[in-house]
Amino acid sequence: MADIIDTKIVSRNDAINQVQYWHEHQDGSVTLETKQDITAIAEANQMVRNTFDERANWKGDMHRVASIPMSIYYDLKAKGILDDPAAMKKWLNDPDNVVFRTRPGKV
């Protein structure tokens, strides 16, 4: 994005710490960029994960295993991961995504 000639804020959502930017490039193309500060979500997830009783079982149909920021939710949706249970499971179990997990263990 080195050829940006103009940047404007398109939207700001302080409730989820998200800002969208419109970048105009020298060649006339534009880029929509979404930035979200996920610090509060990551810290809350870690607190819940650290206080979870690992001896708790996985019985039942519903378990909260993650809290995912909206910007990442939409990215997962666009990539088709959100609508593919196997891909979503793989994403949730990926060690790189542990910051979004609220429960230890394997999904």
Side-chain angles (χ1 to χ4, degrees), residues 3-51:
D3 64 339
I4 294 173
I5 59 172
D6 191 24
T7 297
K8 295 176 180 150
I9 293 177
V10 176
S11 68
R12 179 185 306 272
N13 186 334
D14 293 331
I16 60 172
N17 296 320
Q18 181 175 295
V19 180
Q20 286 189 320
Y21 299 92
W22 172 277
H23 301 293
E24 186 178 341
H25 300 270
Q26 289 175 344
D27 64 2
S29 65
V30 296
T31 304
L32 183 62
E33 176 186 28
T34 302
K35 288 187 175 184
Q36 184 174 9
D37 181 357
I38 64 161
T39 305
I41 294 170
E43 289 173 354
N45 287 351
Q46 183 176 10
M47 185 177 71
V48 172
R49 192 172 55 252
N50 289 345
T51 59

Side-chain angles (χ1 to χ4, degrees), residues 62-105:
M62 301 289 283
H63 298 275
R64 179 180 177 196
V65 297
S67 181
I68 301 170
M70 292 304 296
S71 57
I72 293 175
Y73 173 90
Y74 288 122
D75 185 53
L76 293 172
K77 182 76 172 167
K79 292 177 179 174
I81 294 172
L82 203 61
D83 299 317
D84 179 346
M88 189 65 199
K89 199 177 210 182
K90 181 179 178 184
W91 188 89
L92 287 168
N93 288 323
D94 185 329
D96 290 341
N97 300 322
V98 72
V99 69
F100 307 114
R101 293 291 302 271
T102 57
R103 180 177 176 151

